[in-house]
Amino acid sequence: MLEATPLTEGWTVRYEAGELPAGVPGCVHTDLLAAGVIPDPFIGRNEAEVAWVGRREWMYETQLAAPSAHERTDLVFDGLDTAAEIRLDGQLLGRVRNMHRSYRFDVTGTSGRLSVLFASAYAEAEAVRERLGERPGAYAEPYQYIRKMACSFGWDWGPTLVTAGIWRPVRLEYWSTARIARVRPEVTVDEHGLGHVKLAVDVERTRVGAGLTLEARVSGGGLSGGGEVLARGEVDGTSGVVRLEVPDVELWWPRGYGQQALYEVELTLLHGDVPLDGWQRRVGFRTVRLDTSSDAHGTGFTLVVNGERLFARGVNWIPDDVFPSRITPERYRERLAQAAGAGVDLVRVWGGGIYESEDFYDVCDELGLLVWQDFPFACAAYPEEQPLRGEVEAEARENVVRLMPHPSLVLWNGNNENLWGFRDWEWERRLAGESWGEGYYLGVLPRIVAELDPTRPYTAGSPWSGSWQRHPNDPAHGTHHSWEVWNREDYADYRLEVPRFVAEFGWQAPAAYATMRRALPDETLASDSPGMLHHQKADDGNGKLERGLARHFPLPEGDFDRWHYLTQVNQARAVAAGIEHWRAHWPVCAGTIVWQLNDCWPVTSWAAVDGDGREKPLYHELRRLYADRLLSLQVRGEEVVLAVVNQAAEKWAGTVELRRVSVDGSMVGESVRVGFVAERRAVAEVRVPGELVPVGAKEFLVADVDAGAEGGGGSDGSSGERLRALYFPVPDREVPYPRPEFDVSVTPGAVTVTARTLVRDLLLQADRLDPGARADRGLVTLLPGERVTIGVRGWETPDAETARSALYCVEPAR
């Protein structure tokens, strides 16, 4: 049987200044950090002090002893970052230039000093640029000339920390006669509930004439009595196929639609009765298709899983650390559990990052999080000539097959914004006929997916309208990225259009207070203090924050705490404006993917969860916005309507209470109760009577529904609570809010606030109580006499006055 020995110990890294112990897996930055050679680049402005690291060569070395009774010994690297030369005892094993691939070298019968010499990624990329010619991109760094995580070179939310190292596991594999080289699992289910598993197997041999057999079994899932399904197949030369049929399978569903039934598939390669090698994966039975049919509104983009049409409640995912080797299985699980806890059912793995590790997709399989996987191309024109073309094809083939077992993976996407960039960012003129990646997105990649993974849909890019006959970012066709809002326009403009699928949109806010305090320990925090500006990577980011804030609130001059609170409120309000509007227009709009879930370091960004893992108010707002049931008040022409969104499997029937209220808390006229019925996976509308529509700056509209109504409750755990929507006809800066008054009481694990006046967007910033403290809810608006209890964990010495000091809300203009 094949045996494997991890090579994690005894590594060193050498450079011109000396030799250090090296962590494998790891990277040179983490090795230098562990040795105290460089400061933490996440703290202060240290990023600039370590820029030299990306410009150096680095030599990783260890002693390799590979004696074995087996016929063959292979040295296997699951990932090398990026351009490297591998030698054993001075003899060249190979040269590599792709972070996204694995590598295998025959080292049978050899031993000695194993060395991996990493060139500077800059040097490699600049050499390719010199050879193939300049290509335009969104940033000046040369990320499009090397098959490496693009955001290593910096992004508008990330630092420039250009890594090198053995970033994924390395091992020795010992085997005889034959080994399993590749397994391509096609998992399908027919209309009768019969599951099909086809394993297309490639083997590598040391002996051509040896008779080989494949034995496969499926177990778990819904197989009765803990049973299993068995099948056998023969190896013909270097390939073979095994087919299994699994009766009455339990389907794998996205979260909120059903259970995540997973089955174990085991494959054994045999020579006679002797097992030579094995392969194990979990799979799920489900169907997926992408409906891009035309209709009266344009061209749709709707995911259909097991025949159920979905409104995708999504988030964009970036690498969770700029040093990906530091991301543990536990960290993946924590971050993805946060996504699921916010009501998310789809995670888009963005194209400026990586194909994530198996740990990521395993958790998505378990939690029912659909995965939209970008191929790693983002915001640049990519040359299609060698040496890049061969690398692109090789990495795509490897990773398509590697990720095939995962039922959570439902969509392959060719690139991020490159088709749009060609049309709108003057690339076409600057390229003057040079290659730029179109051949990848419309040729190489769809061909590979169709050949290797025919069970999943492919789309050429995001955004993409489906044809060059239309603008790539046409909101009426396919996927749309909405960035005029934030860059230039107010978030109210989200309500001006109904895209078919919004794959990117978002609004910035700073990280949690404790996160920025840790990152900038010696700085008096201000919106424009040197450290805060360094941890703001977006072009004119603070200017856009300020202009976006000024449209809604008086600017808090010189008050960092108010600025910090209000910008976080504005982020949550902006995203809410978009999602409420677009969900109300289901099924025309079939999904929203917020930019972005997470951060890779402490920074002002679009993230809902900051670089230290703390939830911003936006995170808690997503729990409301992505719940199965959502209320929102919408202006439609001259009318105001209540949109009753019901994404649950059951009909929702109930009564809404509509109240016209003054900011002083008094009722204006009588309340009205109106019945509604929202069918399953549908939206109902309730017209607000004209006499209840607020007039002027002193009034607002409140809509309340008891979540315990028929079919009440939702995926956010709100059963038994009131669902509420508010409508203020003017921006906050024009509303004559009363000075907020409220009482505060504390008990272990809870802070209760009782309002004596209108309290708008109350927020407990739990990390101000203790850096380890977390609150279980975000922004909440209270009418006079109402109360809210906020759960708090990680605060060991609760008292009411300290709690009051960490409570913020909207205040009247000063």
Side-chain angles (χ1 to χ4, degrees), residues 42-109:
F42 288 10
I43 303 300
R45 289 177 283 174
N46 291 341
E47 174 199 355
E49 296 183 26
V50 304
W52 61 272
V53 175
R55 294 283 183 179
R56 299 289 196 278
E57 287 187 343
W58 302 92
M59 177 77 83
Y60 280 75
E61 293 181 299
T62 193
Q63 193 66 28
L64 190 68
S68 172
H70 281 282
E71 297 170 350
R72 177 78 172 264
T73 302
D74 289 345
L75 173 65
V76 183
F77 293 95
D78 285 342
L80 293 167
D81 177 18
T82 292
E85 181 179 275
I86 301 96
R87 292 181 181 271
L88 180 56
D89 214 19
Q91 298 298 309
L92 179 67
L93 296 179
R95 296 184 177 92
V96 303
R97 59 194 335 152
N98 193 328
M99 181 181 183
H100 306 302
R101 294 178 60 187
S102 63
Y103 298 95
R104 177 179 294 267
F105 303 101
D106 182 355
V107 296
T108 305

Side-chain angles (χ1 to χ4, degrees), residues 3 24 48 61 134 150 206 225 250 263 314 331 352 363 397 421 439 540 550 561 604 677 718 738 757 783:
E3 299 174 2
V24 172
E61 293 181 299
E134 188 79 29
T206 60
E250 292 185 354
Y263 291 73
R331 183 162 161 185
V363 175
R397 286 184 171 278
D540 190 30
D561 291 341
T604 296
V677 176
S718 60
T757 64
L783 304 185

Side-chain angles (χ1 to χ4, degrees), residues 138-325:
Y139 304 98
E141 300 280 308
Y143 57 92
Q144 68 266 52
Y145 305 100
I146 185 170
R147 297 308 296 153
K148 174 178 172 60
M149 185 174 85
C151 62
S152 287
F153 292 91
W155 219 260
D156 56 4
W157 36 257
T160 302
L161 294 167
V162 180
T163 52
I166 304 171
W167 78 290
R168 279 183 167 162
V170 55
R171 63 191 173 277
L172 287 171
E173 289 187 356
Y174 309 98
W175 55 279
S176 297
T177 308
R179 71 173 186 91
I180 297 172
R182 186 179 78 164
V183 180
R184 189 170 61 83
E186 289 186 24
V187 181
T188 57
V189 58
D190 65 25
E191 66 272 19
H192 305 295
L194 182 63
H196 302 267
V197 179
K198 175 187 173 184
L199 303 177
V201 184
D202 295 333
V203 301
E204 184 180 8
R205 293 173 172 265
T206 60
R207 298 182 224 164
V208 175
L212 302 176
T213 304
L214 297 166
E215 183 177 274
R217 67 188 64 215
V218 176
S219 59
L223 286 170
S224 60
E228 57 186 19
V229 175
L230 302 174
R232 293 174 71 91
E234 300 298 320
V235 175
D236 182 6
T238 58
S239 63
V241 174
V242 186
R243 289 180 170 87
L244 302 101
E245 293 187 348
V246 185
D248 301 320
V249 296
E250 292 185 354
L251 296 178
W252 184 96
W253 286 94
R255 64 173 304 280
Y257 290 83
Q259 299 302 308
Q260 290 74 52
L262 295 170
Y263 291 73
E264 297 285 341
V265 178
E266 299 177 51
L267 174 71
T268 304
L269 175 65
L270 298 146
H271 179 215
D273 294 328
V274 178
L276 302 177
D277 197 1
W279 178 93
Q280 292 182 320
R281 296 291 187 276
R282 291 187 306 179
V283 303
F285 293 94
R286 55 104 185 94
T287 64
V288 60
R289 66 182 180 90
L290 182 64
D291 184 355
T292 57
S293 56
S294 298
D295 57 26
H297 303 280
T299 307
F301 194 93
T302 304
L303 283 165
V304 185
V305 178
N306 298 330
E308 189 81 62
R309 301 174 68 83
L310 311 182
F311 182 99
R313 294 170 275 189
V315 287
N316 281 276
W317 170 278
I318 66 169
D320 204 53
D321 196 316
V322 75
F323 306 131
S325 58

Side-chain angles (χ1 to χ4, degrees), residues 32 84 117 142 178 266 366 699:
L32 295 171
L117 176 63
E266 299 177 51
E366 295 169 13
E699 297 177 1

